[in-house]
Amino acid sequence: MTFKLKNIGAISIAIIVIACAKYEKAEKPAYTLNETIYVDRLPNDNYKLTLEQKGTWKVYKGYNQNNIDWNTPHELTTDKKEITIENEQPNKRMFFGAIKAKDTLFLSEREIDMENTVNFRDLGGIPTTEGKHTKWGMLYRSGDLPEITDNDMDYIQELGIKTILDLRSQGEIDEKPDMYPQETQWVHLPIGNMENQDTKEMLKKLKEADPETFDGDKMMKEFSIQFVNNPDNFKKLFQYILNTKDVPLLFHCTAGKDRTGFSSAFILYALGVDEETILNEYALSNFFRYEYNESMTQKATTFYGIDQRILRALMGVKKSYLETGFNEIRTKYGSVDNYLSKELGVDSLAKVKLRHIYLQ
């Protein structure tokens, strides 16, 4: 049996209430982004820092990356790869400066741990080919925000997010509108051609699909081609991030992995991040959505009969999906840079401005 599903957002909505006849827990995916020092905010709001490479780093803490206390060092070494740093203001996010010889890194946690939304993460601390790094606390990506808690609302305010760009279709928004602080600007920028889809019909087709012949990879790659061939709102996204009055900024779709993943990829490419790192950042959605995906799959097994192999094919990402989009761009435009310039309005001058704003 073959069929096409056009609305990946509606699929994401449907997935939280569908599952296979027999649940088998999947192995947790690897953390794909290469971090020199990995920062994790613990349940008690203290911070654990883990050195992922060899060397000796002096680590300093603060509550703003522009206001680090450089007088009291903590040390990470090859022999002491983990340290825990007390957060004396548990309601605040910490930032760190790390020094090794002439190298300086700024650090914070990548995952923003919300109570009622997933895959919320900071695009800071990612290296570029020119030796700089993306700034922390400027650009965030996430899944949707329909039922966030009061604590989540407070945290969004604490992060200082001024603009939310919602990449979902109008139908997705009507079904699950975002919640956000009153002073935050909300903008609708739907990515891809996702309107007029029937979620119930989609569920019916998924239930009828044969897991032996169902080609989830093909479907997801078709979505990737659709994204890049509908560039208008990617262009508008860049117009917002080029306006410094609109940041810090959060962009999101339903699951925070597909439309959001492509948006993140284009932003990082424009900032001068190499393609391998962009692919690794894209694949992080598998890591950050793991517990949520497994929980939803397990809870729904007794209510629906969709095979687990079909379900999982639609819940994750593969680097090949983003590569398919990039290959489509290169076929039509010769390079990603040409696509950015001709379709998204990100020419050499725009890149200079972006890098001035978002790199350090």
Side-chain angles (χ1 to χ4, degrees):
M1 177 180 181
T2 60
F3 59 88
K4 290 186 177 180
L5 301 177
K6 294 182 180 179
N7 189 345
I8 195 168
I11 288 174
S12 298
I13 293 172
I15 278 170
I16 67 171
V17 293
I18 62 178
C20 56
K22 182 181 179 182
Y23 170 75
E24 294 180 5
K25 189 172 183 178
E27 182 179 353
K28 186 168 185 177
Y31 187 90
T32 51
L33 196 60
N34 183 23
E35 309 263 19
T36 301
I37 299 172
Y38 179 76
V39 178
D40 188 24
R41 189 167 183 170
L42 301 174
N44 62 4
D45 281 321
N46 292 334
Y47 281 76
K48 182 173 74 172
L49 279 65
T50 305
L51 181 63
E52 301 290 349
Q53 301 177 9
K54 292 182 179 180
T56 297
W57 291 83
K58 300 287 187 181
V59 179
Y60 305 82
K61 69 178 184 179
Y63 293 92
N64 184 306
Q65 59 184 333
N66 297 318
N67 190 24
I68 302 292
D69 178 6
W70 299 103
N71 296 314
T72 308
H74 303 261
E75 192 170 76
L76 278 170
T77 70
T78 304
D79 296 325
K80 185 183 179 182
K81 288 182 173 291
E82 289 186 1
I83 57 173
T84 299
I85 296 179
E86 181 183 0
N87 184 358
E88 296 168 355
Q89 301 181 49
N91 62 330
K92 290 187 176 294
R93 184 185 186 190
M94 295 188 71
F95 293 86
F96 305 92
I99 297 176
K100 183 183 75 170
K102 296 182 179 180
D103 294 331
T104 301
L105 296 176
F106 291 93
L107 312 165
S108 192
E109 73 267 33
R110 186 157 306 285
E111 181 184 25
I112 305 301
D113 190 12
M114 296 288 184
E115 292 179 342
N116 214 20
T117 189
V118 296
N119 207 13
F120 197 130
R121 60 195 206 245
D122 193 325
L123 286 179
I126 298 174
T128 72
T129 58
E130 297 177 347
K132 294 189 175 183
H133 291 77
T134 52
K135 288 182 182 178
W136 292 96
M138 293 287 280
L139 294 169
Y140 297 92
R141 52 173 293 179
S142 77
D144 57 7
L145 311 168
E147 297 175 349
I148 60 173
T149 65
D150 290 342
N151 287 337
D152 290 341
M153 193 80 75
D154 291 343
Y155 201 3
I156 290 174
Q157 291 179 303
E158 171 66 26
L159 295 173
I161 293 173
K162 294 182 178 179
T163 306
I164 294 174
L165 302 182
D166 194 332
L167 312 181
R168 299 176 297 164
S169 69
Q170 188 60 53
E172 293 170 88
I173 293 169
D174 290 343
E175 186 168 348
K176 289 190 172 183
D178 276 350
M179 295 175 63
Y180 49 89
Q182 185 175 1
E183 63 272 20
T184 302
Q185 175 185 205
W186 180 92
V187 181
H188 187 204
L189 289 182
I191 298 296
N193 182 19
M194 302 295 184
E195 292 293 354
N196 302 319
Q197 304 302 316
D198 188 334
T199 302
K200 290 183 179 179
E201 179 64 20
M202 217 173 298
L203 277 171
K204 182 176 180 292
K205 290 180 177 180
L206 288 174
K207 290 177 183 179
E208 294 173 351
D210 182 352
E212 297 296 334
T213 59
F214 180 80
D215 193 341
D217 281 358
K218 180 181 179 182
M219 181 184 296
M220 300 302 288
K221 289 175 181 178
E222 288 174 351
F223 287 135
S224 298
I225 292 171
Q226 182 187 123
F227 294 156
V228 302
N229 285 329
N230 288 271
D232 289 349
N233 284 334
F234 287 122
K235 181 176 182 178
K236 292 178 182 178
L237 182 148
F238 273 101
Q239 291 171 353
Y240 276 96
I241 68 172
L242 278 163
N243 185 345
T244 55
K245 293 184 294 185
D246 294 328
V247 293
L249 179 148
L250 165 69
F251 55 95
H252 78 85
C253 55
T254 295
K257 66 184 183 70
D258 301 302
R259 291 162 286 184
T260 299
F262 270 77
S263 299
S264 176
F266 290 145
I267 292 169
L268 294 176
Y269 195 100
L271 291 174
V273 177
D274 70 273
E275 194 163 320
E276 180 180 1
T277 300
I278 291 171
L279 289 166
N280 287 337
E281 195 279 331
Y282 174 80
L284 274 183
S285 287
N286 294 326
F287 180 86
F288 287 125
R289 285 184 56 84
Y290 170 74
E291 286 82 6
Y292 178 83
N293 287 348
E294 291 303 308
S295 175
M296 291 301 102
T297 301
Q298 186 174 23
K299 288 177 181 178
T301 51
T302 58
F303 300 105
Y304 292 86
I306 296 177
D307 191 281
Q308 173 169 297
R309 289 166 288 179
I310 294 174
L311 182 64
R312 293 197 186 283
L314 304 178
M315 293 180 77
V317 297
K318 292 183 179 179
K319 294 179 184 180
S320 60
Y321 304 160
L322 182 57
E323 289 172 324
T324 295
F326 278 3
N327 289 339
E328 174 77 1
I329 286 171
R330 291 188 176 104
T331 298
K332 290 190 172 182
Y333 297 90
S335 70
V336 178
D337 288 296
N338 287 342
Y339 176 79
L340 289 174
S341 180
K342 293 179 180 180
E343 295 290 357
L344 308 190
V346 186
D347 57 17
S348 57
L349 290 177
K351 287 179 182 176
V352 169
K353 183 176 181 181
L354 283 169
R355 295 174 188 188
H356 174 74
I357 297 170
Y358 296 103
L359 299 182
Q360 59 187 13

